[in-house]
Amino acid sequence: MAVRQILKMGDPRLYQSCELVQEFNTTALTGIIEDMFDTMAEYNGVGLAAPQIGIYRRIVIFGLESNDRYPDVEAVPETILINPVITPVSEEQEEGWEGCLSIPGMRGLVSRYSKIKYSGFTPTGENIAREVEGFHARVVQHECDHLDGILYPLRIRDIRNFGYEDALVQPDSGESETSPDSGPC
Ligand code: NI
């Protein structure tokens, strides 16, 4: 178990597509996932994708416990999702502020599908299938984008809605599902 270095935006390794995991229930896979959780915890993230620590496999982790101090931030179950597939439930999208451990100190307003179905596998190869919305749906879309080499600034429609956390004015941050308190993905 180890905290790994997180690749930062600008590093070309973040822009490559990742390969499917072929073997489940292996010590190598377990080791990667432990390092991902250690790294996410160290940097107070709510999600992390394997390529952010230089592993080019289709593995993401995420989760956020409910917190009395931030009742507006919706809890997301701790999840390890391997070889994920996302299907939008409808065309409806919503905007929300996102951060990323590969882009420390910054935030951007990103449009994502409001409701999605996602599926994938656990580390032991069991199926996961869920239908989710809101912040949970946003986190999954953000993390899975990493597996295709897409960082959230590539999805910002108006680049003026991208900037430093302490400089941005976020008029709805008090109610937003992705307020700064919810942490970067
Ligand atoms: Ni990210």
Side-chain angles (χ1 to χ4, degrees):
M1 298 207 299
V3 173
R4 304 275 289 260
Q5 186 182 2
I6 296 180
L7 305 185
K8 293 197 182 128
M9 186 170 74
D11 191 315
R13 291 174 290 177
L14 283 172
Y15 300 111
Q16 67 187 66
S17 276
C18 298
E19 294 176 8
L20 290 167
V21 171
Q22 306 282 4
E23 288 187 81
F24 292 85
N25 218 2
T26 65
T27 51
L29 185 58
T30 303
I32 291 167
I33 290 162
E34 284 181 359
D35 284 0
M36 288 175 70
F37 273 107
D38 289 348
T39 305
M40 185 171 79
E42 175 73 16
Y43 296 101
N44 293 316
V46 301
L48 189 76
Q52 292 181 276
I53 59 165
I55 307 273
Y56 308 103
R57 295 287 183 275
R58 302 187 80 82
I59 307 165
V60 301
I61 63 170
F62 50 85
L64 180 67
E65 289 179 6
S66 60
N67 187 324
D68 291 342
R69 288 167 59 206
Y70 308 117
D72 295 331
V73 179
E74 172 191 338
V76 178
E78 186 178 282
T79 303
I80 302 159
L81 187 62
I82 298 172
N83 298 348
V85 175
I86 293 176
T87 311
V89 171
S90 74
E91 289 299 306
E92 185 193 335
Q93 299 202 356
E94 60 193 28
E95 292 194 312
W97 290 93
E98 296 187 10
C100 181
L101 294 176
S102 292
I103 313 166
M106 303 195 78
R107 293 267 158 181
L109 191 63
V110 181
S111 200
R112 301 282 187 189
Y113 290 111
S114 307
K115 292 184 183 175
I116 60 168
K117 290 181 180 176
Y118 70 84
S119 61
F121 298 92
T122 69
T124 52
E126 286 147 32
N127 281 294
I128 296 176
R130 291 179 182 152
E131 184 168 330
V132 300
E133 59 188 341
F135 183 60
H136 189 157
R138 176 171 299 278
V139 170
V140 173
Q141 290 171 85
H142 175 115
E143 296 312 328
C144 292
D145 262 358
H146 277 293
L147 305 180
D148 294 318
I150 298 169
L151 300 180
Y152 77 80
L154 296 171
R155 295 200 183 275
I156 296 173
R157 290 178 179 157
D158 180 345
I159 204 66
R160 286 172 294 192
N161 291 322
F162 179 50
Y164 294 95
E165 284 171 334
D166 57 1
L168 281 167
V169 176
Q170 300 180 23
D172 63 347
S173 62
E175 297 176 1
S176 169
E177 290 161 326
T178 53
S179 72
D181 301 327
S182 64
C185 297

